[in-house]
């Protein structure tokens, strides 16, 4: 048994979902469970406008670390299909490009992600994938991300908030918004940059977040952190069945803390003024 027990972290939520940290699982044993199931993992990534520049490193590092040995299908949503880089892939892995319109506001790009994920699941993925992960493109893989992450509804704890107290979480605090979480409520602060689960789990999430987002927008309300706020509200009401530690979405600018034995996926340092179409 290659697992060592960890005493420095909490590995289960109060609703008894695992919190995945290095040293709490045996990947050999987990692969023996999932490999025979012959599952397909879909990964969505948006590369609109200048964010296309992040795609090559994202894909190259995913090919080294993301679900190696499993069938993987990437769906790249972009307004620049001709600029999608060619990356060599093993023959059980492939990439599909989905054209989307450009936008002058990054908030709008972010807003449409849930709708596009919902539509992708309805129109393309049914019967073609078992699990789906939705990932930010401005990030790279540095360590293995595999079947230990699988679950019906999977969220990643935001690296900025895993040690902190709930009162510091940047949830939407105005009760007029459908992303509202009251003071004293909420479990973790989760990232908008990585989430996933079964097709059904993510479809319900995307459908709900999209509906809430649009209903807010119709009343002129934009939640504090756009879809991340709606995702947090959803995950508070519908508890994730698996929670991934910040190993699964670190940030390059953050100094490593002692609990972090490995970084699997991390956001690159970027200059917002350079890459976003608006403030
Ligand atoms: N995005 C994009 N084009 C943009 C803005 C955002 O493609 O102009 C996509 C991209 O996949 C990015 C994600 O939306 O990773 C989230 O935006 P961003 O990474 O800027 O948010 P942050 O992680 O900084 O909160
Ligand atoms: Mn990002």
């Amino acid at each position: 048994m290659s697992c060592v027990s960890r005493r420095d972290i909490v590995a289960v939520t109060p609703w008894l979902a695992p919190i995945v940290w290095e040293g709490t699982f045996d990947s050999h044993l987990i692969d023996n469970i999932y490999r025979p199931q012959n599952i397909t993992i879909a990964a969505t990534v948006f590369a609109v406008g200048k964010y296309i520049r992040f795609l090559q490193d994202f894909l190259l590092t995913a090919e080294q670390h993301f679900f190696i040995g499993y069938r993987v299908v990437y769906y790249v949503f972009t307004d620049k299909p001709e600029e999608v880089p060619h990356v060599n892939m093993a023959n059980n892995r492939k990439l599909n490009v989905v054209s989307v319109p450009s936008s002058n506001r990054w908030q709008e790009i972010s807003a449409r992600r849930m709708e596009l994920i919902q539509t992708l699941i309805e129109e393309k993925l049914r019967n073609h994938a078992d699990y789906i992960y939705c990932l930010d493109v401005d990030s790279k893989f540095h360590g293995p991300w595999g079947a230990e992450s699988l679950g019906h509804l999977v969220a990643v704890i935001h690296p900025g908030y895993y040690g902190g107290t709930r009162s510091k979480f940047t949830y939407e605090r105005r009760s007029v918004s459908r992303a509202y979480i009251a003071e004293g409520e909420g479990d973790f602060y989760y990232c908008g940059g990585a989430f996933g689960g079964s097709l059904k789990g993510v479809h319900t999430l995307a459908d709900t977040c999209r509906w809430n987002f649009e209903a807010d927008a119709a009343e002129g309300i934009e939640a504090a952190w756009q879809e991340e706020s709606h995702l947090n509200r959803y995950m508070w009401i519908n508890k994730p069945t698996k929670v991934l530690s910040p190993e699964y979405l670190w940030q390059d600018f953050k100094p490593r803390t002692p609990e972090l034995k490995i970084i699997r996926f991390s956001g690159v340092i970027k200059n917002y003024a350079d890459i976003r179409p608006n403030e």
Side-chain angles (χ1 to χ4, degrees):
M1 172 93 170
S2 66
C3 289
V4 292
S5 63
R6 295 269 310 253
R7 294 170 190 279
D8 57 333
I9 46 92
V10 176
V12 64
T13 68
W15 59 94
L16 299 179
I19 308 177
V20 184
W21 288 91
E22 177 71 357
T24 63
F25 61 92
D26 182 335
S27 44
H28 181 71
L29 205 153
I30 291 174
D31 282 339
N32 284 345
I33 298 169
Y34 286 100
R35 283 250 170 81
Q37 294 181 22
N38 209 13
I39 51 174
T40 299
I41 317 294
T44 63
V45 62
F46 287 74
V48 178
K50 293 180 181 167
Y51 280 63
I52 189 88
R53 70 177 65 168
F54 298 114
L55 187 58
Q56 180 154 22
D57 280 352
F58 172 93
L59 291 171
L60 283 171
T61 59
E63 283 305 287
Q64 290 162 1
H65 299 294
F66 186 70
F67 280 96
I68 299 308
Y70 289 83
R71 202 173 317 116
V72 170
V73 189
Y74 300 97
Y75 287 87
V76 173
F77 292 82
T78 184
D79 57 339
K80 296 181 162 56
E82 68 291 346
E83 286 180 39
V84 172
H86 177 78
V87 170
N88 285 330
M89 292 180 185
N91 54 17
N92 55 350
R93 305 170 72 98
K94 65 175 190 230
L95 183 150
N96 292 319
V97 178
V98 184
S99 285
V100 296
S102 336
S103 172
N104 297 323
R105 285 187 79 237
W106 62 264
Q107 292 89 340
E108 205 172 281
I109 298 165
S110 157
R112 288 208 63 209
R113 282 206 286 182
M114 289 296 183
E115 176 198 340
L116 290 162
I117 290 164
Q118 180 197 346
T119 316
L120 177 79
I121 294 173
E122 287 167 8
E123 294 178 357
K124 302 237 172 72
L125 297 187
R126 292 240 162 99
N127 307 319
H128 294 286
D130 302 283
Y131 294 94
I132 175 170
Y133 287 91
C134 309
L135 304 170
D136 262 21
V137 73
D138 60 326
S139 355
K140 288 193 227 179
F141 292 86
H142 302 276
W145 176 325
E148 77 285 351
S149 68
L150 294 174
H152 177 64
L153 183 63
V154 181
V156 181
I157 301 175
H158 195 292
Y161 301 98
Y162 74 96
T165 48
R166 197 154 56 182
S167 60
K168 299 255 165 56
F169 294 175
T170 55
Y171 293 143
E172 172 56 61
R173 299 297 192 184
R174 297 166 302 167
S175 61
V176 288
S177 168
R178 287 157 187 85
Y180 174 60
I181 299 183
E183 290 293 337
E185 291 180 333
D187 304 304
F188 298 96
Y189 190 80
Y190 302 109
C191 308
F195 58 89
S198 67
L199 281 197
K200 191 170 187 317
V202 176
H203 182 262
T204 314
L205 158 86
D207 186 20
T208 308
C209 288
R210 175 203 175 177
W211 195 92
N212 287 337
F213 195 104
E214 289 177 1
D216 267 13
E219 293 172 6
I221 302 161
E222 185 170 279
W225 290 94
Q226 296 83 33
E227 10 96 275
E228 186 169 84
S229 304
H230 288 277
L231 178 97
N232 270 282
R233 159 89 187 195
Y234 185 86
M235 294 288 183
W236 173 57
I237 295 177
N238 308 272
K239 306 296 190 211
T241 60
K242 193 168 272 184
V243 173
L244 305 181
S245 69
E247 296 166 3
Y248 290 81
L249 186 42
W250 195 249
Q251 286 170 329
D252 284 356
F253 68 77
K254 270 184 79 71
R256 234 170 131 143
T257 53
E259 310 80 69
L260 204 74
K261 307 296 181 204
I262 185 173
I263 295 173
R264 303 171 193 282
F265 188 54
S266 181
V268 303
I269 294 169
K270 62 188 193 291
N271 178 352
Y272 284 104
D274 257 9
I275 48 155
R276 280 187 171 172
N278 63 307
E279 283 299 299

Coordinates of all heavy atoms in Angstrom, one line a residue, residues 85-156:
P85 N -3.0 25.2 -32.1 CA -1.7 24.6 -32.4 C -1.9 23.1 -32.6 O -2.8 22.4 -32.0 CB -0.9 24.8 -31.1 CG -1.9 25.0 -30.0 CD -3.1 25.6 -30.7
H86 N -1.0 22.5 -33.4 CA -1.0 21.1 -33.6 C -0.2 20.4 -32.5 O 1.0 20.8 -32.3 CB -0.5 20.6 -34.9 CG -0.4 19.2 -35.0 ND1 -1.6 18.4 -35.3 CD2 0.6 18.3 -34.8 CE1 -1.2 17.1 -35.2 NE2 0.1 17.0 -35.0
V87 N -0.7 19.5 -31.7 CA 0.0 18.9 -30.6 C -0.2 17.4 -30.9 O -1.3 16.9 -31.1 CB -0.6 19.3 -29.3 CG1 0.0 18.4 -28.1 CG2 -0.3 20.8 -29.0
N88 N 1.0 16.7 -30.9 CA 0.9 15.2 -31.1 C 0.3 14.6 -29.9 O 0.5 14.9 -28.7 CB 2.3 14.7 -31.2 CG 2.9 15.0 -32.6 OD1 2.2 15.1 -33.5 ND2 4.2 15.1 -32.6
M89 N -0.6 13.6 -30.2 CA -1.4 12.9 -29.1 C -1.3 11.4 -29.3 O -1.3 11.0 -30.5 CB -2.8 13.4 -29.1 CG -2.9 14.8 -28.7 SD -4.6 15.4 -28.6 CE -4.3 17.2 -28.2
A90 N -1.4 10.7 -28.2 CA -1.5 9.3 -28.3 C -2.8 8.9 -29.0 O -3.7 9.7 -29.1 CB -1.5 8.7 -26.9
N91 N -2.9 7.7 -29.6 CA -4.1 7.4 -30.5 C -5.4 7.3 -29.7 O -6.5 7.2 -30.3 CB -3.8 6.3 -31.5 CG -3.4 5.1 -30.8 OD1 -3.5 4.9 -29.6 ND2 -2.8 4.2 -31.6
N92 N -5.4 7.2 -28.4 CA -6.7 7.2 -27.7 C -7.0 8.6 -27.2 O -7.9 8.8 -26.4 CB -6.6 6.2 -26.4 CG -5.4 6.6 -25.5 OD1 -4.5 7.4 -25.9 ND2 -5.4 5.9 -24.4
R93 N -6.4 9.6 -27.8 CA -6.7 11.0 -27.4 C -6.9 11.8 -28.6 O -6.2 11.7 -29.6 CB -5.5 11.5 -26.5 CG -5.2 10.6 -25.3 CD -3.9 11.0 -24.7 NE -4.0 12.3 -23.9 CZ -4.3 12.3 -22.6 NH1 -4.4 11.2 -21.9 NH2 -4.3 13.5 -22.0
K94 N -7.9 12.7 -28.6 CA -8.1 13.6 -29.7 C -8.6 15.0 -29.3 O -9.0 15.2 -28.2 CB -8.9 12.9 -30.8 CG -10.3 12.7 -30.4 CD -11.1 12.1 -31.6 CE -12.5 12.1 -31.2 NZ -13.3 10.9 -31.4
L95 N -8.6 15.9 -30.3 CA -9.0 17.2 -30.0 C -10.0 17.7 -31.0 O -9.9 17.4 -32.2 CB -7.7 18.1 -30.1 CG -7.9 19.6 -29.8 CD1 -6.5 20.1 -29.3 CD2 -8.2 20.4 -31.1
N96 N -11.1 18.3 -30.5 CA -12.1 18.9 -31.4 C -12.2 20.4 -31.2 O -12.1 20.8 -30.1 CB -13.5 18.3 -31.1 CG -13.6 16.8 -31.4 OD1 -13.1 16.4 -32.5 ND2 -14.2 16.0 -30.6
V97 N -12.3 21.1 -32.3 CA -12.4 22.6 -32.2 C -13.9 23.0 -32.4 O -14.5 22.5 -33.3 CB -11.5 23.2 -33.3 CG1 -11.6 24.7 -33.2 CG2 -10.1 22.8 -33.1
V98 N -14.3 23.9 -31.5 CA -15.7 24.4 -31.6 C -15.5 25.9 -31.8 O -14.9 26.6 -30.9 CB -16.5 24.1 -30.3 CG1 -17.9 24.6 -30.5 CG2 -16.5 22.6 -29.9
S99 N -16.1 26.4 -32.9 CA -16.0 27.9 -33.1 C -17.0 28.6 -32.3 O -18.2 28.3 -32.3 CB -16.2 28.2 -34.6 OG -15.1 27.8 -35.4
V100 N -16.5 29.7 -31.7 CA -17.4 30.6 -31.0 C -17.1 32.0 -31.4 O -16.0 32.3 -31.8 CB -17.3 30.4 -29.4 CG1 -17.6 29.1 -28.9 CG2 -15.8 30.8 -29.0
P101 N -18.1 32.9 -31.2 CA -17.9 34.3 -31.6 C -16.8 35.0 -30.7 O -16.7 34.6 -29.5 CB -19.2 35.0 -31.5 CG -20.1 34.0 -30.9 CD -19.5 32.7 -30.7
S102 N -16.1 36.0 -31.2 CA -15.3 36.8 -30.3 C -16.1 37.7 -29.5 O -17.3 37.9 -29.7 CB -14.3 37.7 -31.1 OG -14.2 37.2 -32.4
S103 N -15.5 38.4 -28.5 CA -16.3 39.3 -27.7 C -15.4 40.4 -27.2 O -14.2 40.2 -27.1 CB -16.8 38.5 -26.5 OG -17.4 39.4 -25.6
N104 N -16.0 41.5 -27.0 CA -15.2 42.7 -26.5 C -15.2 42.8 -25.0 O -14.5 43.6 -24.4 CB -15.8 44.0 -27.0 CG -15.7 44.0 -28.5 OD1 -14.8 43.6 -29.1 ND2 -16.8 44.6 -29.2
R105 N -15.9 41.9 -24.3 CA -15.9 41.9 -22.9 C -15.6 40.6 -22.4 O -16.3 39.6 -22.7 CB -17.3 42.4 -22.4 CG -17.6 43.8 -22.5 CD -19.0 44.2 -21.8 NE -18.8 44.3 -20.3 CZ -19.4 43.5 -19.4 NH1 -20.3 42.6 -19.8 NH2 -19.3 43.7 -18.2
W106 N -14.6 40.4 -21.5 CA -14.2 39.1 -21.0 C -15.3 38.6 -20.1 O -15.5 37.4 -20.0 CB -12.9 39.2 -20.2 CG -12.9 40.0 -19.0 CD1 -12.4 41.3 -19.0 CD2 -13.3 39.7 -17.7 NE1 -12.6 41.8 -17.7 CE2 -13.1 40.9 -16.9 CE3 -13.8 38.6 -17.1 CZ2 -13.4 40.9 -15.5 CZ3 -14.2 38.6 -15.8 CH2 -14.0 39.7 -15.0
Q107 N -16.1 39.4 -19.5 CA -17.2 39.0 -18.7 C -18.2 38.2 -19.5 O -18.8 37.2 -19.0 CB -18.0 40.1 -18.0 CG -17.2 40.9 -16.9 CD -16.4 42.1 -17.5 OE1 -16.1 42.1 -18.7 NE2 -16.1 43.0 -16.7
E108 N -18.4 38.6 -20.8 CA -19.3 37.9 -21.6 C -18.8 36.5 -22.1 O -19.5 35.5 -22.1 CB -19.5 38.7 -22.9 CG -20.7 38.6 -23.6 CD -20.8 39.6 -24.7 OE1 -21.1 40.8 -24.4 OE2 -20.5 39.3 -25.9
I109 N -17.5 36.4 -22.3 CA -16.8 35.2 -22.6 C -17.0 34.2 -21.5 O -17.5 33.1 -21.6 CB -15.3 35.4 -22.9 CG1 -15.1 36.3 -24.1 CG2 -14.6 34.0 -23.1 CD1 -13.7 36.9 -24.2
S110 N -16.7 34.7 -20.3 CA -16.9 33.9 -19.1 C -18.4 33.5 -18.9 O -18.7 32.4 -18.5 CB -16.3 34.8 -17.9 OG -16.9 34.4 -16.7
A111 N -19.3 34.4 -19.2 CA -20.7 34.2 -19.0 C -21.2 33.1 -19.9 O -22.0 32.3 -19.5 CB -21.5 35.4 -19.3
R112 N -20.7 33.0 -21.1 CA -21.2 32.0 -22.0 C -20.7 30.6 -21.8 O -21.1 29.7 -22.4 CB -21.0 32.5 -23.5 CG -21.9 33.7 -23.8 CD -22.2 33.7 -25.3 NE -22.9 32.5 -25.8 CZ -22.8 32.1 -27.1 NH1 -21.9 32.6 -27.9 NH2 -23.4 31.0 -27.4
R113 N -19.7 30.5 -21.0 CA -19.0 29.2 -20.8 C -20.0 28.1 -20.4 O -20.1 27.0 -20.9 CB -17.9 29.2 -19.8 CG -16.6 29.8 -20.4 CD -15.4 29.3 -19.6 NE -15.2 29.9 -18.3 CZ -14.2 29.7 -17.5 NH1 -13.3 28.8 -17.9 NH2 -14.1 30.3 -16.3
M114 N -20.9 28.5 -19.4 CA -21.8 27.5 -18.9 C -22.8 27.0 -19.9 O -23.1 25.8 -20.1 CB -22.6 28.0 -17.7 CG -21.7 28.2 -16.4 SD -21.1 26.6 -15.8 CE -20.2 27.1 -14.3
E115 N -23.3 28.0 -20.7 CA -24.2 27.7 -21.8 C -23.6 26.8 -22.8 O -24.2 25.8 -23.2 CB -24.6 29.0 -22.4 CG -25.6 28.8 -23.6 CD -25.6 30.1 -24.5 OE1 -25.2 31.2 -24.1 OE2 -26.0 29.9 -25.7
L116 N -22.3 27.1 -23.2 CA -21.7 26.3 -24.2 C -21.3 24.9 -23.7 O -21.4 23.9 -24.4 CB -20.4 27.0 -24.7 CG -20.7 28.2 -25.5 CD1 -19.5 29.2 -25.6 CD2 -21.2 27.9 -26.9
I117 N -21.0 24.8 -22.4 CA -20.8 23.4 -21.8 C -22.1 22.6 -21.8 O -22.1 21.4 -22.2 CB -20.2 23.6 -20.4 CG1 -18.8 24.1 -20.5 CG2 -20.2 22.3 -19.6 CD1 -18.2 24.7 -19.2
Q118 N -23.2 23.3 -21.4 CA -24.5 22.6 -21.4 C -24.8 22.1 -22.8 O -25.2 20.9 -23.0 CB -25.5 23.6 -20.9 CG -26.9 23.0 -20.8 CD -28.0 24.1 -20.8 OE1 -27.7 25.3 -20.5 NE2 -29.2 23.7 -21.0
T119 N -24.7 23.0 -23.8 CA -25.0 22.6 -25.1 C -24.1 21.5 -25.7 O -24.6 20.5 -26.3 CB -24.9 23.8 -26.1 OG1 -25.5 24.9 -25.4 CG2 -25.6 23.6 -27.4
L120 N -22.8 21.5 -25.3 CA -21.9 20.5 -25.8 C -22.3 19.1 -25.2 O -22.3 18.1 -25.9 CB -20.5 20.8 -25.3 CG -19.4 19.8 -25.6 CD1 -19.0 19.9 -27.1 CD2 -18.2 19.8 -24.7
I121 N -22.7 19.1 -24.0 CA -23.1 17.8 -23.3 C -24.4 17.3 -24.0 O -24.5 16.1 -24.4 CB -23.3 18.0 -21.8 CG1 -22.0 18.4 -21.1 CG2 -24.0 16.8 -21.2 CD1 -22.1 18.7 -19.7
E122 N -25.3 18.2 -24.3 CA -26.6 17.8 -24.9 C -26.4 17.3 -26.3 O -26.9 16.3 -26.7 CB -27.6 18.9 -24.9 CG -28.1 19.2 -23.5 CD -28.9 20.6 -23.4 OE1 -29.1 21.2 -24.5 OE2 -29.2 21.0 -22.3
E123 N -25.6 18.1 -27.1 CA -25.5 17.8 -28.5 C -24.4 16.8 -29.0 O -24.5 16.2 -30.0 CB -25.4 19.1 -29.3 CG -26.6 19.9 -29.1 CD -26.6 21.3 -29.8 OE1 -25.5 21.6 -30.4 OE2 -27.6 22.0 -29.8
K124 N -23.3 16.8 -28.2 CA -22.1 16.0 -28.7 C -21.7 14.9 -27.8 O -21.2 13.9 -28.2 CB -20.9 16.9 -28.9 CG -21.2 18.0 -29.9 CD -20.1 18.0 -31.1 CE -20.4 19.0 -32.2 NZ -20.1 20.4 -31.8
L125 N -21.9 15.1 -26.5 CA -21.2 14.2 -25.5 C -22.0 13.0 -25.1 O -21.5 11.9 -24.8 CB -20.7 14.9 -24.3 CG -19.6 15.9 -24.6 CD1 -19.1 16.5 -23.2 CD2 -18.5 15.4 -25.4
R126 N -23.4 13.1 -25.2 CA -24.2 12.0 -24.7 C -23.8 10.7 -25.4 O -23.7 10.8 -26.7 CB -25.7 12.3 -25.0 CG -26.2 13.5 -24.1 CD -27.3 13.1 -23.2 NE -27.5 14.0 -22.1 CZ -28.4 15.0 -22.1 NH1 -29.2 15.1 -23.1 NH2 -28.5 15.8 -21.0
N127 N -23.5 9.7 -24.7 CA -23.1 8.4 -25.3 C -21.7 8.5 -25.8 O -21.2 7.5 -26.4 CB -24.0 7.9 -26.4 CG -25.4 7.8 -25.9 OD1 -25.7 7.4 -24.8 ND2 -26.4 8.2 -26.8
H128 N -21.0 9.6 -25.7 CA -19.6 9.6 -26.2 C -18.6 9.9 -25.1 O -17.4 9.9 -25.4 CB -19.5 10.7 -27.3 CG -20.2 10.3 -28.5 ND1 -19.8 9.3 -29.4 CD2 -21.4 10.8 -29.0 CE1 -20.7 9.2 -30.3 NE2 -21.7 10.0 -30.1
A129 N -19.0 10.3 -23.9 CA -18.1 10.5 -22.8 C -18.8 10.2 -21.5 O -20.0 10.1 -21.4 CB -17.6 12.0 -22.8
D130 N -18.0 9.9 -20.5 CA -18.5 9.5 -19.2 C -18.3 10.6 -18.2 O -19.2 10.8 -17.3 CB -17.8 8.2 -18.7 CG -18.0 7.1 -19.7 OD1 -19.1 6.5 -19.7 OD2 -17.1 6.8 -20.5
Y131 N -17.2 11.3 -18.3 CA -16.9 12.3 -17.3 C -16.4 13.6 -18.1 O -16.0 13.4 -19.2 CB -15.8 11.9 -16.4 CG -16.2 10.8 -15.5 CD1 -15.9 9.5 -15.8 CD2 -16.9 11.1 -14.2 CE1 -16.3 8.4 -15.0 CE2 -17.2 10.0 -13.4 CZ -17.0 8.7 -13.8 OH -17.3 7.7 -12.9
I132 N -16.6 14.7 -17.5 CA -16.1 15.9 -18.2 C -15.5 16.9 -17.2 O -15.9 17.0 -16.0 CB -17.3 16.6 -18.9 CG1 -16.9 18.0 -19.5 CG2 -18.5 16.8 -17.9 CD1 -18.0 18.6 -20.4
Y133 N -14.4 17.5 -17.6 CA -13.7 18.5 -16.8 C -13.7 19.8 -17.6 O -13.4 19.8 -18.8 CB -12.3 18.1 -16.4 CG -12.3 17.0 -15.3 CD1 -12.3 15.7 -15.7 CD2 -12.4 17.3 -14.0 CE1 -12.5 14.7 -14.7 CE2 -12.5 16.3 -13.0 CZ -12.5 15.0 -13.4 OH -12.6 14.1 -12.5
C134 N -13.9 20.9 -16.9 CA -13.9 22.2 -17.5 C -12.8 23.0 -16.9 O -12.8 23.2 -15.7 CB -15.3 22.9 -17.3 SG -16.7 21.8 -17.7
L135 N -11.8 23.4 -17.7 CA -10.5 23.9 -17.2 C -10.2 25.2 -17.8 O -10.4 25.5 -19.0 CB -9.4 22.9 -17.5 CG -9.7 21.4 -17.0 CD1 -8.6 20.5 -17.6 CD2 -9.6 21.4 -15.5
D136 N -9.6 26.1 -17.0 CA -9.0 27.4 -17.6 C -7.8 27.1 -18.4 O -7.0 26.2 -18.1 CB -8.6 28.2 -16.4 CG -9.6 29.3 -16.0 OD1 -10.8 29.1 -16.3 OD2 -9.2 30.3 -15.4
V137 N -7.7 27.9 -19.5 CA -6.6 27.6 -20.5 C -5.3 28.3 -20.0 O -4.2 27.8 -20.4 CB -7.0 28.1 -21.9 CG1 -7.0 29.7 -21.9 CG2 -6.1 27.6 -22.9
D138 N -5.4 29.3 -19.1 CA -4.2 30.0 -18.7 C -3.5 29.2 -17.6 O -3.2 29.8 -16.6 CB -4.6 31.4 -18.3 CG -5.5 31.5 -17.1 OD1 -6.4 30.6 -17.0 OD2 -5.4 32.4 -16.3
S139 N -3.3 28.0 -17.8 CA -2.7 27.1 -16.8 C -1.9 26.0 -17.4 O -2.1 25.7 -18.6 CB -3.8 26.5 -15.9 OG -5.1 27.0 -16.2
K140 N -1.1 25.3 -16.6 CA -0.3 24.2 -17.1 C -0.4 23.1 -16.1 O -0.5 23.3 -14.9 CB 1.1 24.6 -17.2 CG 1.5 25.5 -18.4 CD 3.0 25.6 -18.5 CE 3.5 27.0 -18.7 NZ 4.9 27.0 -18.8
F141 N -0.2 21.9 -16.6 CA -0.1 20.7 -15.8 C 1.4 20.5 -15.4 O 2.3 20.7 -16.2 CB -0.6 19.4 -16.5 CG -2.1 19.5 -16.7 CD1 -2.6 20.1 -17.8 CD2 -2.9 18.9 -15.8 CE1 -4.0 20.1 -18.0 CE2 -4.3 18.9 -16.0 CZ -4.8 19.5 -17.1
H142 N 1.6 20.2 -14.1 CA 3.0 19.9 -13.6 C 3.1 18.5 -13.0 O 4.2 18.1 -12.6 CB 3.4 21.0 -12.6 CG 3.3 22.4 -13.1 ND1 4.3 22.9 -13.8 CD2 2.3 23.3 -13.0 CE1 4.0 24.2 -14.2 NE2 2.7 24.4 -13.7
G143 N 1.9 17.9 -12.7 CA 2.0 16.6 -12.1 C 0.7 15.8 -12.5 O -0.2 16.4 -13.1
P144 N 0.7 14.5 -12.1 CA -0.4 13.7 -12.6 C -1.8 14.1 -12.1 O -2.0 14.4 -10.9 CB -0.1 12.3 -12.0 CG 0.9 12.5 -11.0 CD 1.6 13.8 -11.3
W145 N -2.8 14.2 -13.0 CA -4.2 14.4 -12.7 C -4.9 13.2 -13.3 O -5.0 13.1 -14.5 CB -4.6 15.7 -13.2 CG -6.1 16.0 -13.0 CD1 -7.2 15.2 -13.1 CD2 -6.7 17.3 -12.8 NE1 -8.3 15.8 -12.8 CE2 -8.1 17.1 -12.7 CE3 -6.2 18.6 -12.7 CZ2 -9.0 18.2 -12.5 CZ3 -7.0 19.7 -12.4 CH2 -8.4 19.5 -12.3
G146 N -5.4 12.3 -12.5 CA -6.0 11.1 -13.0 C -7.3 10.7 -12.4 O -8.0 11.5 -11.9
A147 N -7.5 9.3 -12.4 CA -8.8 8.8 -12.0 C -9.2 9.0 -10.5 O -10.4 8.9 -10.1 CB -8.9 7.3 -12.4
E148 N -8.2 9.4 -9.7 CA -8.5 9.7 -8.3 C -9.5 10.9 -8.2 O -10.1 11.1 -7.2 CB -7.2 10.0 -7.5 CG -6.5 11.3 -7.7 CD -5.8 11.5 -9.1 OE1 -5.7 10.5 -9.8 OE2 -5.4 12.6 -9.4
S149 N -9.5 11.7 -9.3 CA -10.4 12.9 -9.3 C -11.8 12.6 -9.7 O -12.6 13.5 -9.6 CB -9.7 13.9 -10.2 OG -9.9 13.5 -11.6
L150 N -12.1 11.4 -10.1 CA -13.4 11.1 -10.7 C -14.5 11.1 -9.6 O -14.4 10.6 -8.5 CB -13.4 9.8 -11.5 CG -12.6 9.8 -12.7 CD1 -12.5 8.4 -13.3 CD2 -13.0 10.8 -13.7
G151 N -15.7 11.7 -10.0 CA -16.8 11.7 -9.2 C -18.0 12.2 -9.9 O -17.9 12.7 -11.0
H152 N -19.2 12.2 -9.3 CA -20.4 12.7 -9.9 C -20.4 14.3 -10.0 O -20.7 14.8 -11.1 CB -21.6 12.3 -9.1 CG -22.9 12.8 -9.7 ND1 -23.4 12.4 -10.9 CD2 -23.8 13.6 -9.1 CE1 -24.6 13.1 -11.1 NE2 -24.8 13.8 -10.0
L153 N -19.9 14.9 -9.0 CA -19.8 16.4 -9.0 C -18.5 16.7 -8.3 O -18.4 16.4 -7.1 CB -21.0 17.0 -8.3 CG -21.1 18.5 -8.3 CD1 -21.2 19.1 -9.7 CD2 -22.3 19.0 -7.4
V154 N -17.6 17.3 -9.0 CA -16.2 17.5 -8.5 C -15.9 19.0 -8.5 O -16.0 19.7 -9.5 CB -15.2 16.7 -9.4 CG1 -13.8 16.9 -8.8 CG2 -15.6 15.3 -9.4
A155 N -15.4 19.5 -7.4 CA -15.0 20.9 -7.3 C -13.6 21.0 -6.7 O -13.1 20.1 -6.0 CB -16.0 21.7 -6.4
V156 N -12.9 22.1 -7.0 CA -11.5 22.3 -6.6 C -11.5 23.4 -5.6 O -12.1 24.5 -5.8 CB -10.6 22.6 -7.8 CG1 -9.2 22.8 -7.3 CG2 -10.7 21.5 -8.8

